[in-house]
Amino acid sequence: EKMIEDLKLDDKQAAEFRKVEADFREQMKKERESVKEDREKMREKMIAMRTEKDAQIKKILTDEQYKQYQEKQKKADSSRKKGHGRK
């Protein structure tokens, strides 16, 4: 929701954005369960899924919104890698 607010998405964009995010989370959950034992396979699958998700998000957002989205994703990723994103 914060991303939707930060990117100033209109109602249609927000609805589509939420759907892509929800579908992505559900797909990630299923993949984690199916490839628990093979971490490398899981990692490859997650990268492919993120690439597909980003392509779908790009279709929803304007160029400027997508640029902001990418910047926010980079910050979130670096924060997670440092352990700050975990609760």
Side-chain angles (χ1 to χ4, degrees):
E1 293 300 314
K2 180 160 177 28
M3 185 73 78
I4 289 170
E5 183 181 314
D6 289 348
L7 296 176
K8 298 175 178 63
L9 303 186
D10 63 31
D11 290 343
K12 182 176 186 251
Q13 287 175 312
E16 291 175 358
F17 188 91
R18 284 184 189 107
K19 182 178 181 341
V20 169
E21 287 288 327
D23 290 349
F24 178 72
R25 279 192 301 273
E26 185 62 32
Q27 191 177 8
M28 279 188 68
K29 182 180 175 185
K30 287 178 184 175
E31 288 300 325
R32 277 191 194 116
E33 291 169 3
S34 70
V35 293
K36 279 183 186 175
E37 302 305 314
D38 188 347
R39 295 193 57 78
E40 183 60 30
K41 184 177 177 183
M42 183 172 78
R43 183 179 170 281
E44 291 172 8
K45 190 75 167 171
M46 295 299 158
I47 289 170
M49 288 169 48
R50 280 201 174 120
T51 301
E52 175 61 26
K53 178 186 129 187
D54 283 349
Q56 291 176 357
I57 295 291
K58 188 173 184 175
K59 292 177 188 176
I60 297 168
L61 306 178
T62 65
D63 289 342
E64 184 60 32
Q65 288 170 330
Y66 186 69
K67 192 174 171 183
Q68 290 175 340
Y69 168 78
Q70 287 180 309
E71 289 171 9
K72 290 182 181 300
Q73 289 299 102
K74 283 181 186 175
K75 286 180 185 176
D77 287 347
S78 67
S79 178
R80 274 191 291 269
K81 286 179 184 175
K82 292 178 184 174
H84 297 282
R86 298 181 187 214
K87 293 181 180 177

